[in-house]
Amino acid sequence: MTDAIALYRDTLESIHGDLRLNLVDPNMYLWKYTDRYLSMPVGTSQYVFETDTVPFLQLVLHGTMEMYAPYSNFSFYAQSDILKMIDYNMSPSFILSKEPSWYLADTVSSDLYSTEFAQYEELIQRIYGSVNEVLSQTAGYAWTDRTVLADGVIRNTYQKGQDVMYVLINYTDNSYSWQGHDVSGLSAVVIRPKEGVR
């Protein structure tokens, strides 16, 4: 173990019980101290060619901490991005300021080029509303499976005891039908199957 890792661990160990810790893209050795994982990766490493991305990290960490997508005011706000938050079970996040971001130009936060709340108020409501409409229904459920039903159509399975629900995410422009349930293009729906139907 390096001295730096030991220092991080000792520091976080000493404050973890007193504070809820928000960590930005923490390494695995810090996960046990992480209450909120910020800027969780949602894309590929781009080191290899891949036909699809799989939310492996999100599946592994589901239920152990809160997980947040990259800042939506920094180009993560298209409809496909909103669907990815739902698919990957992540909450939206924003980094905001009351004043215009040009006030930050001569500070260590100069890379935060667009943060003024007034510019994003409507976008925040739209994105949060879209994600919350679906994911609020899965709260308290274990995320047990993710299945690709067709190219661009995902079914996530959630379970609590004997109660099962599905979230269908349709990344395509066309409507998709599954077991009598339709999901419009570029949308997501929650499906609660009738007793005995799985």
Side-chain angles (χ1 to χ4, degrees), residues 118-149:
Q119 294 180 336
Y120 290 103
E121 187 171 5
E122 288 181 20
L123 183 69
I124 291 167
Q125 291 176 7
R126 180 176 67 83
I127 291 175
Y128 178 79
S130 297
V131 174
N132 188 58
E133 181 181 350
V134 175
L135 292 186
S136 64
Q137 297 181 61
T138 68
Y141 283 72
W143 184 12
T144 58
D145 190 36
R146 181 179 187 269
T147 304
V148 177
L149 298 176

Side-chain angles (χ1 to χ4, degrees), residues 19-38:
L19 299 171
R20 289 181 57 82
L21 297 179
N22 304 333
L23 300 181
V24 177
D25 198 14
N27 289 319
M28 189 172 76
Y29 67 89
L30 298 177
W31 290 350
K32 74 178 194 173
Y33 309 110
T34 306
D35 295 299
R36 296 182 185 99
Y37 189 129
L38 307 181

Side-chain angles (χ1 to χ4, degrees), residues 57-77:
L57 182 61
Q58 290 82 354
L59 277 162
V60 169
L61 295 179
H62 178 73
T64 66
M65 63 185 70
E66 296 175 30
M67 300 180 292
Y68 291 86
Y71 300 130
S72 289
N73 52 315
F74 286 172
S75 302
F76 197 72
Y77 52 77

Side-chain angles (χ1 to χ4, degrees), residues 2 7 35 43 77 86 88 101-102 105 128 146 162 168-169 171 189 195-196 198:
T2 68
L7 179 62
D35 295 299
Y77 52 77
I86 294 169
Y88 284 29
S101 54
W102 60 264
Y128 178 79
R146 181 179 187 269
Q162 297 299 312
L168 261 61
I169 303 101
Y171 289 100
V189 296
E195 199 64 39
R198 293 279 192 266

Side-chain angles (χ1 to χ4, degrees), residues 101-129:
S101 54
W102 60 264
Y103 279 106
L104 302 171
D106 294 325
T107 72
V108 295
S109 299
S110 60
D111 59 326
L112 303 177
Y113 54 85
S114 185
T115 60
E116 187 178 3
F117 174 76
Q119 294 180 336
Y120 290 103
E121 187 171 5
E122 288 181 20
L123 183 69
I124 291 167
Q125 291 176 7
R126 180 176 67 83
I127 291 175
Y128 178 79

